[in-house]
Amino acid sequence: MFKQLETIESFVTPSNMKVTVLYKPDFKQQSMIIGVPFGGIHSNVLNKQGHPYHSGLAHFLEHKLFESESGDIMAAFSSLGANVNAFTSYQETCYYFNTTSNFAQSCDLLLNLVSSCTLSEESVEKEKGIIVSELAMYDAMVDQALVKNMYQALYHNHPIRNDIGGDADNVNAIFKDELVDAFERFYHPSLMHCVCVTNQSIEEVKTIILSHPLAQNPSLPPQVVSLPIEEPNEVALLNVSKTMDIEESKGIYALKLNAHSNNPMENMKMQFAIRFILEASLSEMNPQYQEWIDEGLINDFFDMDVDVSTTYSYVAFICEHEHLDHVFAWLDRALPSLECDEVSLNQLKRRYLGMSLKALNKPSSLSKQMIRYALNDLDFFDVLHLFQDMSLDDIQQAKMSLLSSLKNVSKVKIEPIE
Amino acid sequence: MNDETQNDAFVSWALKVLTHLLMSEETLKEAKINVFQNIKREQENSVKHALALSAERFLPQSYGLKVEGDESVMNLTLDELVMFQSKLFQQPTACFQVGQLDQGLVMNHLKKSILNQDKTSLSTYTLLNPLPLDRQSVSKVSSQSVLIKTYATTIDYADERYLALRVGAIALGSLPTSLLFTTVREKHSLCYFITANVIAFDGVLNIITGIDKENVNQVSQLIDEQWEAFKEVSDELISQAKLMMLNSLRSSDDDVMSTINLMYASSLKNEVFDLNRVESLILDLSKEDIIDAMNQCVACNEFVLLGETHV
């Protein structure tokens, strides 16, 4: 008997919302995610009065969108058996649900959720306590503190210096008008992307989405005016040292790169190329890795992060050591001699292909990965080709970019309280 | 792994690894360092640290044991590990394979292996012996305090009322519409997270929340009030909790490890996990069954990790 294969289709609604549907007939879990290009770094956007938004505004709005005139949206999802949630990152805000039943009704609810913003001053005030509590929770986490201090060390003016959720002062200064202003500017269907991973046919999903009012009427999105980001190449702070109630010192050695451009595909390619050369040189792929472990320079906490966005790019090495200066000195020595040969490159291509294919088996995380690509005008499967086609020349270019940034280093230490 | 030859090779390899400890002094040293560092990192996480400290009161019961161990892990020797390994294989062993495999061939292969044992599964689940209600607090330099209220469920994992307890815990504090979430977070804005979790094999229900230290008493009282309110829990909330539990169970079908976990948990009761049967049992639960199961919970500890600007 013919078995329907997994398939994918993208379409644009009359309202210009971009939709991707991944049909996975053998999976029970289904999900829908809607992303809006409004995140933590958009605190340089000007409001109606011409003032920049408060930091944490996108995150605050994410919290408040779960409030509706027609009742409790959370309760409506729960009644359908769907888990609904949302997250705000630096670049975007995303709303999603996972379910094994009542997919069509849940889709309708999620589309409703991002369609309107009905707030009262009273409810906005009440939310402040919850958000401040959330920020306090993150402040108590050493890994969050490392990243926060790293951004503030690397950047002079870039809005990424500010926490995604803002700080207590900014949160307390946000009122209803500013939230509505942001909603009207950014929650326009033509700026939204929607990804569904479902066992329902693509035609059925199309019908569900296209019959929703959010999909129907075309209109122009409101104008968004932002303050220009004037960011020097040099880091803001060479060294940062803080204390927390922790057991072992932790640090970040961060390179401020100048590897980004306005082209998301180029940025993604550069991000993979940098990641490849770093993994080839500083992961277990390097025979010396065991020596570094034996010497106690690194342990299983050691990690690397690469981010090449349209307005910033950096590499971070996250480490744990009683004497962080030893690890930083080792990185000072290791980074100028990064290498990736053809054997390593091919191994990395296979490894990344394997990881990407594995991701296809998890509908909930797959939809999150796909929406992030979609909001950057990237396609999940194009990205697979991107690293499959990676050449040694691309790696060399990434190496040059890293080498040219070796003077732009911030070293962040968080040490135990004496 | 869908290829049978590969699968046989994998099973043979896995058995070899399990029965012949491939460990040297060097790898043991590295493993000990990694474990010890992980233990220290757990202490840095306020919630995990608070959970470990709050459970200590129940020693020597299993709930009080730290699964990850303590600093004494650094004293482990290779001989001790080899001895442990040998003892481990004298215990009943469960083996699960999930995949597009020929069941007959796989079973045949396993029957010929060391895994084919005529041993009965051990009941590795237990019940917390309730202690008189007590309150402890420990200070930590932190921007947030953590409150943990511990209850002995008095219903063990094999008890027919266990599913009712699980559904009740979801309605109490594992849903955005749960009593705890809607009251402590949504109505009073006192926290960002608050959850009620059942630890199935220890017979424990914990309510955990991150709050400001000034609000500890108020939040504790609100939690107590929600236990009272549960006696009048709405049909709608119960229905939502059932649906959420069904959703979670059905989703496990998409994930190999979740499937194995469910199979393993059932094998402890000498049962084979049957999703349809469990679904029916959940749907058949009455509100009274659920309230009755929750009424069996006994409050026995309240722990506060007080977040201070300095200690």
Side-chain angles (χ1 to χ4, degrees), chain A residues 28-29 74-75 79 81-82 100 126 130 133-134 136-137 139-140 245 247-248 250 290 300 320 362, chain B residues 30 37 41 43-44 140-141 143-144 176-177 185-187 189 192 240 243-244 247 251 253-255:
Chain A
K28 289 195 174 163
Q29 193 170 79
M74 293 279 200
S79 297
T100 56
K126 269 185 71 180
I130 297 169
S133 179
E134 183 182 0
M137 180 184 78
D139 280 345
D245 195 351
E247 302 294 314
E248 185 81 283
K250 291 174 178 56
Q290 187 61 46
D300 60 351
E320 182 182 68
K362 287 189 186 294
Chain B
E30 188 182 320
Q37 290 300 120
R41 277 176 224 138
Q43 290 174 22
E44 292 169 352
K140 179 181 167 74
V141 177
S143 48
Q144 190 164 63
T177 49
R185 175 176 149 144
E186 298 297 304
K187 187 172 173 193
S189 304
Y192 170 65
Q240 290 169 359
L243 266 175
M244 282 301 174
N247 187 18
S251 300
D253 241 23
D254 294 340
D255 180 68

Side-chain angles (χ1 to χ4, degrees), chain A residues 169-237:
Chain A
D169 288 345
N170 271 281
V171 167
N172 284 316
I174 290 172
F175 295 98
K176 180 185 158 186
D177 287 352
E178 194 175 12
L179 290 162
V180 173
D181 182 289
F183 178 83
E184 287 172 351
R185 281 173 206 271
F186 287 97
Y187 284 67
H188 189 274
S190 66
L191 301 175
M192 291 178 185
H193 285 255
C194 171
V195 173
C196 297
V197 181
T198 176
N199 55 29
Q200 312 229 347
S201 76
I202 288 179
E203 284 312 311
E204 282 174 299
V205 178
K206 259 187 181 174
T207 306
I208 295 166
I209 293 173
L210 291 173
S211 58
H212 192 277
L214 188 70
Q216 288 166 1
N217 299 318
S219 62
L220 287 173
Q223 198 183 13
V224 173
V225 180
S226 307
L227 286 174
I229 302 170
E230 290 171 6
E231 181 61 39
N233 287 336
E234 295 75 31
V235 299
L237 296 166

Side-chain angles (χ1 to χ4, degrees), chain A residues 26-30 63 72 74-84 98-102 125-127 129-130 133-142 244-248 250 290 293-294 299-301 320 361-363 417, chain B residues 26 29-30 33-35 37-41 43-46 100 139-144 175-177 181-182 185-193 210-212 236 239-241 243-244 246-248 250-251 253-255 275 311:
Chain A
D26 291 333
F27 279 72
K28 289 195 174 163
Q29 193 170 79
Q30 305 180 80
H63 272 243
D72 187 346
M74 293 279 200
F77 275 105
S78 295
S79 297
L80 294 171
N83 272 311
V84 65
N98 297 311
T99 191
T100 56
S101 55
N102 302 311
E125 280 308 303
K126 269 185 71 180
E127 200 68 23
I130 297 169
S133 179
E134 183 182 0
L135 298 179
M137 180 184 78
Y138 294 131
D139 280 345
M141 297 175 176
V142 62
M244 280 181 84
D245 195 351
I246 55 174
E247 302 294 314
E248 185 81 283
K250 291 174 178 56
Q290 187 61 46
I293 287 182
D294 293 343
N299 60 17
D300 60 351
F301 188 77
E320 182 182 68
N361 279 341
K362 287 189 186 294
I417 297 165
Chain B
E26 287 75 25
K29 183 184 162 197
E30 188 182 320
I33 291 171
N34 283 345
V35 171
Q37 290 300 120
N38 269 322
I39 291 168
K40 291 204 280 186
R41 277 176 224 138
Q43 290 174 22
E44 292 169 352
N45 178 308
S46 294
Q100 291 169 4
S139 293
K140 179 181 167 74
V141 177
S142 176
S143 48
Q144 190 164 63
L175 281 177
T177 49
F181 193 91
T182 51
R185 175 176 149 144
E186 298 297 304
K187 187 172 173 193
H188 293 275
S189 304
L190 290 169
C191 68
Y192 170 65
F193 75 91
I211 51 177
D212 190 284
E236 190 185 3
S239 164
Q240 290 169 359
L243 266 175
M244 282 301 174
L246 293 174
N247 187 18
S248 167
R250 288 170 186 153
S251 300
D253 241 23
D254 294 340
D255 180 68
L275 180 60
V311 179

Side-chain angles (χ1 to χ4, degrees), chain B residues 205-308:
Chain B
L205 186 151
N206 276 326
I207 293 175
I208 309 165
T209 181
I211 51 177
D212 190 284
K213 68 174 180 177
E214 310 298 331
N215 301 326
V216 170
N217 290 335
Q218 186 189 356
V219 172
S220 178
Q221 193 185 329
L222 285 170
I223 292 171
D224 292 344
E225 286 169 14
Q226 297 324 297
W227 279 96
E228 276 305 302
F230 198 88
K231 291 170 182 162
E232 305 289 327
V233 65
S234 69
D235 291 331
E236 190 185 3
L237 183 52
I238 291 296
S239 164
Q240 290 169 359
K242 284 183 180 181
L243 266 175
M244 282 301 174
M245 193 163 168
L246 293 174
N247 187 18
S248 167
L249 286 168
R250 288 170 186 153
S251 300
S252 68
D253 241 23
D254 294 340
D255 180 68
V256 170
M257 281 316 296
S258 302
T259 304
I260 288 177
N261 284 337
L262 286 172
M263 293 283 176
Y264 172 71
S266 286
S267 76
L268 295 176
K269 298 188 285 184
N270 286 314
E271 287 176 4
V272 176
F273 180 73
D274 178 346
L275 180 60
N276 291 333
R277 181 176 159 272
V278 176
E279 279 190 13
S280 301
L281 289 173
I282 292 170
L283 289 170
D284 289 346
L285 288 170
S286 69
K287 187 164 89 171
E288 290 68 33
D289 293 335
I290 293 163
I291 293 171
D292 180 58
M294 292 297 275
N295 278 342
Q296 306 306 311
C297 293
V298 180
C300 45
N301 204 47
E302 181 167 321
F303 181 88
V304 187
L305 187 75
L306 276 174
E308 308 276 9

Side-chain angles (χ1 to χ4, degrees), chain A residues 80-121:
Chain A
L80 294 171
N83 272 311
V84 65
N85 213 332
F87 62 87
T88 307
S89 69
Y90 281 106
Q91 311 278 1
E92 65 261 324
T93 308
C94 295
Y95 302 82
Y96 62 94
F97 70 82
N98 297 311
T99 191
T100 56
S101 55
N102 302 311
F103 181 71
Q105 296 99 310
S106 303
C107 287
D108 250 355
L109 277 180
L110 198 70
L111 290 161
N112 288 345
L113 191 151
V114 296
S115 295
S116 64
C117 174
T118 49
L119 306 173
S120 68
E121 290 287 7

